[in-house]
Amino acid sequence: MYSEKVMEHFTSPRNVGEIPDADGIGEIGNPICGDIMRLYIKVNNGKIEDIKFKTFGCGAAIATSSMVTEMVKGKTLEEAMKISNKAVAEALGGLPPNKMHCSNLAADALHRAIEDYKKRRNGQGNAGTAS
Ligand code: FES
């Protein structure tokens, strides 16, 4: 059975949607079931100022997506990179064993969004500088 926290995040997920001018986007598919999660971040002063997600997946995937957005809002990129899928599942009070694979999306999508942000910044940041 799902924990109360999972049910609560599933029925009222936080931070659902897209950020049209996102600084980084992370997308990841679950190879086990084919579900997909996309996560958008807005970064200011090295911190995650805003974060939104769109998940085409089961209740556990939506709950973990919602939880990860709550866990990292306002955090630095370094802190956000340290959050693991396991930590997200634990913050939800655990998941049933046959649903653990659903928690594999959340932190991975977040880490991809941060990598995407860094890549975009490096692409713009080096213009004209000789080193
Ligand atoms: Fe696909 Fe849960 S069944 S993420």
PDB file of all heavy atoms in Angstrom, residues 102-128:
ATOM      1  N   CYS A 102       9.627   3.189  -9.930  1.00  0.00           N
ATOM      2  CA  CYS A 102       8.977   4.457 -10.293  1.00  0.00           C
ATOM      3  C   CYS A 102       9.729   5.641  -9.713  1.00  0.00           C
ATOM      4  O   CYS A 102       9.637   6.755 -10.230  1.00  0.00           O
ATOM      5  CB  CYS A 102       7.545   4.479  -9.793  1.00  0.00           C
ATOM      6  SG  CYS A 102       6.629   3.004 -10.257  1.00  0.00           S
ATOM      7  N   SER A 103      10.457   5.404  -8.608  1.00  0.00           N
ATOM      8  CA  SER A 103      11.192   6.511  -7.994  1.00  0.00           C
ATOM      9  C   SER A 103      12.497   6.785  -8.728  1.00  0.00           C
ATOM     10  O   SER A 103      13.209   7.722  -8.402  1.00  0.00           O
ATOM     11  CB  SER A 103      11.481   6.209  -6.519  1.00  0.00           C
ATOM     12  OG  SER A 103      12.433   5.173  -6.434  1.00  0.00           O
ATOM     13  N   ASN A 104      12.822   5.970  -9.729  1.00  0.00           N
ATOM     14  CA  ASN A 104      14.087   6.171 -10.451  1.00  0.00           C
ATOM     15  C   ASN A 104      14.087   7.407 -11.335  1.00  0.00           C
ATOM     16  O   ASN A 104      15.125   7.829 -11.811  1.00  0.00           O
ATOM     17  CB  ASN A 104      14.423   4.952 -11.318  1.00  0.00           C
ATOM     18  CG  ASN A 104      14.783   3.764 -10.467  1.00  0.00           C
ATOM     19  OD1 ASN A 104      15.042   3.916  -9.277  1.00  0.00           O
ATOM     20  ND2 ASN A 104      14.789   2.585 -11.059  1.00  0.00           N
ATOM     21  N   LEU A 105      12.891   7.952 -11.581  1.00  0.00           N
ATOM     22  CA  LEU A 105      12.828   9.095 -12.497  1.00  0.00           C
ATOM     23  C   LEU A 105      13.205  10.413 -11.833  1.00  0.00           C
ATOM     24  O   LEU A 105      13.902  11.235 -12.412  1.00  0.00           O
ATOM     25  CB  LEU A 105      11.408   9.242 -13.066  1.00  0.00           C
ATOM     26  CG  LEU A 105      10.836   8.089 -13.858  1.00  0.00           C
ATOM     27  CD1 LEU A 105       9.429   8.435 -14.306  1.00  0.00           C
ATOM     28  CD2 LEU A 105      11.689   7.795 -15.070  1.00  0.00           C
ATOM     29  N   ALA A 106      12.718  10.622 -10.619  1.00  0.00           N
ATOM     30  CA  ALA A 106      12.688  11.962 -10.044  1.00  0.00           C
ATOM     31  C   ALA A 106      14.055  12.637  -9.954  1.00  0.00           C
ATOM     32  O   ALA A 106      14.291  13.672 -10.592  1.00  0.00           O
ATOM     33  CB  ALA A 106      12.029  11.901  -8.673  1.00  0.00           C
ATOM     34  N   ALA A 107      14.957  12.062  -9.167  1.00  0.00           N
ATOM     35  CA  ALA A 107      16.241  12.729  -8.980  1.00  0.00           C
ATOM     36  C   ALA A 107      17.062  12.705 -10.268  1.00  0.00           C
ATOM     37  O   ALA A 107      17.801  13.652 -10.553  1.00  0.00           O
ATOM     38  CB  ALA A 107      17.008  12.063  -7.834  1.00  0.00           C
ATOM     39  N   ASP A 108      16.911  11.649 -11.061  1.00  0.00           N
ATOM     40  CA  ASP A 108      17.667  11.589 -12.326  1.00  0.00           C
ATOM     41  C   ASP A 108      17.251  12.719 -13.259  1.00  0.00           C
ATOM     42  O   ASP A 108      18.092  13.343 -13.913  1.00  0.00           O
ATOM     43  CB  ASP A 108      17.439  10.240 -13.017  1.00  0.00           C
ATOM     44  CG  ASP A 108      18.135   9.103 -12.282  1.00  0.00           C
ATOM     45  OD1 ASP A 108      18.897   9.395 -11.340  1.00  0.00           O
ATOM     46  OD2 ASP A 108      17.915   7.943 -12.639  1.00  0.00           O
ATOM     47  N   ALA A 109      15.957  12.988 -13.343  1.00  0.00           N
ATOM     48  CA  ALA A 109      15.484  14.083 -14.200  1.00  0.00           C
ATOM     49  C   ALA A 109      16.016  15.415 -13.679  1.00  0.00           C
ATOM     50  O   ALA A 109      16.427  16.285 -14.446  1.00  0.00           O
ATOM     51  CB  ALA A 109      13.964  14.098 -14.256  1.00  0.00           C
ATOM     52  N   LEU A 110      16.022  15.563 -12.362  1.00  0.00           N
ATOM     53  CA  LEU A 110      16.556  16.786 -11.751  1.00  0.00           C
ATOM     54  C   LEU A 110      18.037  16.957 -12.106  1.00  0.00           C
ATOM     55  O   LEU A 110      18.469  18.047 -12.514  1.00  0.00           O
ATOM     56  CB  LEU A 110      16.379  16.705 -10.229  1.00  0.00           C
ATOM     57  CG  LEU A 110      17.110  17.774  -9.435  1.00  0.00           C
ATOM     58  CD1 LEU A 110      16.447  19.133  -9.632  1.00  0.00           C
ATOM     59  CD2 LEU A 110      17.135  17.421  -7.952  1.00  0.00           C
ATOM     60  N   HIS A 111      18.810  15.889 -11.961  1.00  0.00           N
ATOM     61  CA  HIS A 111      20.237  15.985 -12.246  1.00  0.00           C
ATOM     62  C   HIS A 111      20.477  16.319 -13.720  1.00  0.00           C
ATOM     63  O   HIS A 111      21.366  17.095 -14.056  1.00  0.00           O
ATOM     64  CB  HIS A 111      20.948  14.686 -11.852  1.00  0.00           C
ATOM     65  CG  HIS A 111      20.835  14.384 -10.391  1.00  0.00           C
ATOM     66  ND1 HIS A 111      21.038  13.132  -9.872  1.00  0.00           N
ATOM     67  CD2 HIS A 111      20.515  15.175  -9.334  1.00  0.00           C
ATOM     68  CE1 HIS A 111      20.843  13.174  -8.551  1.00  0.00           C
ATOM     69  NE2 HIS A 111      20.529  14.397  -8.208  1.00  0.00           N
ATOM     70  N   ARG A 112      19.643  15.766 -14.579  1.00  0.00           N
ATOM     71  CA  ARG A 112      19.771  16.085 -16.010  1.00  0.00           C
ATOM     72  C   ARG A 112      19.465  17.549 -16.285  1.00  0.00           C
ATOM     73  O   ARG A 112      20.097  18.171 -17.138  1.00  0.00           O
ATOM     74  CB  ARG A 112      18.833  15.216 -16.834  1.00  0.00           C
ATOM     75  CG  ARG A 112      19.376  13.841 -16.997  1.00  0.00           C
ATOM     76  CD  ARG A 112      18.767  13.135 -18.170  1.00  0.00           C
ATOM     77  NE  ARG A 112      19.345  11.796 -18.222  1.00  0.00           N
ATOM     78  CZ  ARG A 112      18.982  10.855 -19.060  1.00  0.00           C
ATOM     79  NH1 ARG A 112      18.036  11.099 -19.934  1.00  0.00           N
ATOM     80  NH2 ARG A 112      19.563   9.682 -19.043  1.00  0.00           N
ATOM     81  N   ALA A 113      18.462  18.073 -15.593  1.00  0.00           N
ATOM     82  CA  ALA A 113      18.105  19.486 -15.786  1.00  0.00           C
ATOM     83  C   ALA A 113      19.260  20.381 -15.344  1.00  0.00           C
ATOM     84  O   ALA A 113      19.566  21.387 -15.999  1.00  0.00           O
ATOM     85  CB  ALA A 113      16.835  19.816 -15.002  1.00  0.00           C
ATOM     86  N   ILE A 114      19.919  20.004 -14.261  1.00  0.00           N
ATOM     87  CA  ILE A 114      21.060  20.799 -13.777  1.00  0.00           C
ATOM     88  C   ILE A 114      22.220  20.706 -14.772  1.00  0.00           C
ATOM     89  O   ILE A 114      22.870  21.703 -15.086  1.00  0.00           O
ATOM     90  CB  ILE A 114      21.496  20.328 -12.366  1.00  0.00           C
ATOM     91  CG1 ILE A 114      20.380  20.643 -11.367  1.00  0.00           C
ATOM     92  CG2 ILE A 114      22.803  20.992 -11.952  1.00  0.00           C
ATOM     93  CD1 ILE A 114      20.584  20.052  -9.979  1.00  0.00           C
ATOM     94  N   GLU A 115      22.450  19.506 -15.295  1.00  0.00           N
ATOM     95  CA  GLU A 115      23.516  19.347 -16.297  1.00  0.00           C
ATOM     96  C   GLU A 115      23.197  20.161 -17.545  1.00  0.00           C
ATOM     97  O   GLU A 115      24.082  20.779 -18.148  1.00  0.00           O
ATOM     98  CB  GLU A 115      23.685  17.872 -16.664  1.00  0.00           C
ATOM     99  CG  GLU A 115      24.537  17.127 -15.643  1.00  0.00           C
ATOM    100  CD  GLU A 115      24.276  15.627 -15.650  1.00  0.00           C
ATOM    101  OE1 GLU A 115      23.742  15.108 -16.653  1.00  0.00           O
ATOM    102  OE2 GLU A 115      24.604  14.983 -14.629  1.00  0.00           O
ATOM    103  N   ASP A 116      21.942  20.165 -17.937  1.00  0.00           N
ATOM    104  CA  ASP A 116      21.509  20.944 -19.103  1.00  0.00           C
ATOM    105  C   ASP A 116      21.759  22.430 -18.856  1.00  0.00           C
ATOM    106  O   ASP A 116      22.275  23.140 -19.727  1.00  0.00           O
ATOM    107  CB  ASP A 116      20.018  20.693 -19.359  1.00  0.00           C
ATOM    108  CG  ASP A 116      19.501  21.433 -20.581  1.00  0.00           C
ATOM    109  OD1 ASP A 116      20.201  21.417 -21.617  1.00  0.00           O
ATOM    110  OD2 ASP A 116      18.419  22.038 -20.502  1.00  0.00           O
ATOM    111  N   TYR A 117      21.441  22.894 -17.657  1.00  0.00           N
ATOM    112  CA  TYR A 117      21.675  24.294 -17.287  1.00  0.00           C
ATOM    113  C   TYR A 117      23.167  24.622 -17.397  1.00  0.00           C
ATOM    114  O   TYR A 117      23.551  25.643 -17.971  1.00  0.00           O
ATOM    115  CB  TYR A 117      21.179  24.541 -15.861  1.00  0.00           C
ATOM    116  CG  TYR A 117      21.732  25.792 -15.240  1.00  0.00           C
ATOM    117  CD1 TYR A 117      21.270  27.047 -15.635  1.00  0.00           C
ATOM    118  CD2 TYR A 117      22.742  25.729 -14.271  1.00  0.00           C
ATOM    119  CE1 TYR A 117      21.796  28.202 -15.073  1.00  0.00           C
ATOM    120  CE2 TYR A 117      23.266  26.870 -13.708  1.00  0.00           C
ATOM    121  CZ  TYR A 117      22.795  28.105 -14.117  1.00  0.00           C
ATOM    122  OH  TYR A 117      23.328  29.244 -13.559  1.00  0.00           O
ATOM    123  N   LYS A 118      24.011  23.743 -16.866  1.00  0.00           N
ATOM    124  CA  LYS A 118      25.463  23.992 -16.888  1.00  0.00           C
ATOM    125  C   LYS A 118      25.990  24.010 -18.308  1.00  0.00           C
ATOM    126  O   LYS A 118      26.832  24.830 -18.672  1.00  0.00           O
ATOM    127  CB  LYS A 118      26.191  22.926 -16.066  1.00  0.00           C
ATOM    128  CG  LYS A 118      25.969  23.122 -14.580  1.00  0.00           C
ATOM    129  CD  LYS A 118      26.792  22.145 -13.772  1.00  0.00           C
ATOM    130  CE  LYS A 118      26.599  22.400 -12.286  1.00  0.00           C
ATOM    131  NZ  LYS A 118      27.009  21.267 -11.469  1.00  0.00           N
ATOM    132  N   LYS A 119      25.484  23.101 -19.128  1.00  0.00           N
ATOM    133  CA  LYS A 119      25.907  23.027 -20.529  1.00  0.00           C
ATOM    134  C   LYS A 119      25.542  24.316 -21.258  1.00  0.00           C
ATOM    135  O   LYS A 119      26.340  24.881 -21.996  1.00  0.00           O
ATOM    136  CB  LYS A 119      25.208  21.839 -21.207  1.00  0.00           C
ATOM    137  CG  LYS A 119      26.170  20.932 -21.951  1.00  0.00           C
ATOM    138  CD  LYS A 119      25.414  19.848 -22.679  1.00  0.00           C
ATOM    139  CE  LYS A 119      25.198  18.633 -21.792  1.00  0.00           C
ATOM    140  NZ  LYS A 119      24.173  17.727 -22.341  1.00  0.00           N
ATOM    141  N   ARG A 120      24.327  24.782 -21.046  1.00  0.00           N
ATOM    142  CA  ARG A 120      23.881  26.015 -21.707  1.00  0.00           C
ATOM    143  C   ARG A 120      24.751  27.180 -21.270  1.00  0.00           C
ATOM    144  O   ARG A 120      25.101  28.038 -22.065  1.00  0.00           O
ATOM    145  CB  ARG A 120      22.437  26.342 -21.332  1.00  0.00           C
ATOM    146  CG  ARG A 120      21.437  25.347 -21.880  1.00  0.00           C
ATOM    147  CD  ARG A 120      20.059  25.862 -21.579  1.00  0.00           C
ATOM    148  NE  ARG A 120      19.047  24.826 -21.717  1.00  0.00           N
ATOM    149  CZ  ARG A 120      17.756  25.098 -21.845  1.00  0.00           C
ATOM    150  NH1 ARG A 120      17.334  26.338 -21.845  1.00  0.00           N
ATOM    151  NH2 ARG A 120      16.881  24.132 -21.968  1.00  0.00           N
ATOM    152  N   ARG A 121      25.081  27.238 -19.992  1.00  0.00           N
ATOM    153  CA  ARG A 121      25.891  28.352 -19.475  1.00  0.00           C
ATOM    154  C   ARG A 121      27.287  28.316 -20.043  1.00  0.00           C
ATOM    155  O   ARG A 121      27.862  29.341 -20.396  1.00  0.00           O
ATOM    156  CB  ARG A 121      25.967  28.263 -17.962  1.00  0.00           C
ATOM    157  CG  ARG A 121      24.987  29.204 -17.335  1.00  0.00           C
ATOM    158  CD  ARG A 121      25.253  29.397 -15.898  1.00  0.00           C
ATOM    159  NE  ARG A 121      26.631  29.768 -15.634  1.00  0.00           N
ATOM    160  CZ  ARG A 121      27.052  30.148 -14.445  1.00  0.00           C
ATOM    161  NH1 ARG A 121      26.228  30.196 -13.451  1.00  0.00           N
ATOM    162  NH2 ARG A 121      28.301  30.461 -14.252  1.00  0.00           N
ATOM    163  N   ASN A 122      27.869  27.142 -20.120  1.00  0.00           N
ATOM    164  CA  ASN A 122      29.221  27.029 -20.677  1.00  0.00           C
ATOM    165  C   ASN A 122      29.232  27.428 -22.129  1.00  0.00           C
ATOM    166  O   ASN A 122      30.175  28.033 -22.613  1.00  0.00           O
ATOM    167  CB  ASN A 122      29.746  25.603 -20.520  1.00  0.00           C
ATOM    168  CG  ASN A 122      30.109  25.331 -19.076  1.00  0.00           C
ATOM    169  OD1 ASN A 122      30.277  26.262 -18.306  1.00  0.00           O
ATOM    170  ND2 ASN A 122      30.205  24.064 -18.716  1.00  0.00           N
ATOM    171  N   GLY A 123      28.147  27.076 -22.833  1.00  0.00           N
ATOM    172  CA  GLY A 123      28.042  27.421 -24.247  1.00  0.00           C
ATOM    173  C   GLY A 123      28.075  28.905 -24.473  1.00  0.00           C
ATOM    174  O   GLY A 123      28.658  29.387 -25.421  1.00  0.00           O
ATOM    175  N   GLN A 124      27.472  29.667 -23.526  1.00  0.00           N
ATOM    176  CA  GLN A 124      27.412  31.117 -23.697  1.00  0.00           C
ATOM    177  C   GLN A 124      28.575  31.811 -23.031  1.00  0.00           C
ATOM    178  O   GLN A 124      28.987  32.889 -23.445  1.00  0.00           O
ATOM    179  CB  GLN A 124      26.117  31.663 -23.065  1.00  0.00           C
ATOM    180  CG  GLN A 124      24.879  31.230 -23.773  1.00  0.00           C
ATOM    181  CD  GLN A 124      23.649  31.436 -22.887  1.00  0.00           C
ATOM    182  OE1 GLN A 124      23.766  31.955 -21.779  1.00  0.00           O
ATOM    183  NE2 GLN A 124      22.497  31.040 -23.373  1.00  0.00           N
ATOM    184  N   GLY A 125      29.073  31.215 -21.961  1.00  0.00           N
ATOM    185  CA  GLY A 125      29.991  31.941 -21.080  1.00  0.00           C
ATOM    186  C   GLY A 125      31.395  32.146 -21.606  1.00  0.00           C
ATOM    187  O   GLY A 125      32.107  33.029 -21.152  1.00  0.00           O
ATOM    188  N   ASN A 126      31.821  31.340 -22.586  1.00  0.00           N
ATOM    189  CA  ASN A 126      33.233  31.395 -22.986  1.00  0.00           C
ATOM    190  C   ASN A 126      33.516  32.294 -24.167  1.00  0.00           C
ATOM    191  O   ASN A 126      34.653  32.431 -24.581  1.00  0.00           O
ATOM    192  CB  ASN A 126      33.728  29.985 -23.331  1.00  0.00           C
ATOM    193  CG  ASN A 126      33.626  29.076 -22.130  1.00  0.00           C
ATOM    194  OD1 ASN A 126      33.703  29.551 -21.002  1.00  0.00           O
ATOM    195  ND2 ASN A 126      33.445  27.793 -22.362  1.00  0.00           N
ATOM    196  N   ALA A 127      32.475  32.907 -24.705  1.00  0.00           N
ATOM    197  CA  ALA A 127      32.664  33.692 -25.938  1.00  0.00           C
ATOM    198  C   ALA A 127      33.676  34.804 -25.715  1.00  0.00           C
ATOM    199  O   ALA A 127      33.554  35.609 -24.804  1.00  0.00           O
ATOM    200  CB  ALA A 127      31.335  34.274 -26.385  1.00  0.00           C
ATOM    201  N   GLY A 128      34.672  34.822 -26.547  1.00  0.00           N
ATOM    202  CA  GLY A 128      35.608  35.945 -26.553  1.00  0.00           C
ATOM    203  C   GLY A 128      36.669  35.913 -25.468  1.00  0.00           C
ATOM    204  O   GLY A 128      37.509  36.788 -25.419  1.00  0.00           O
TER     205      GLY A 128
END
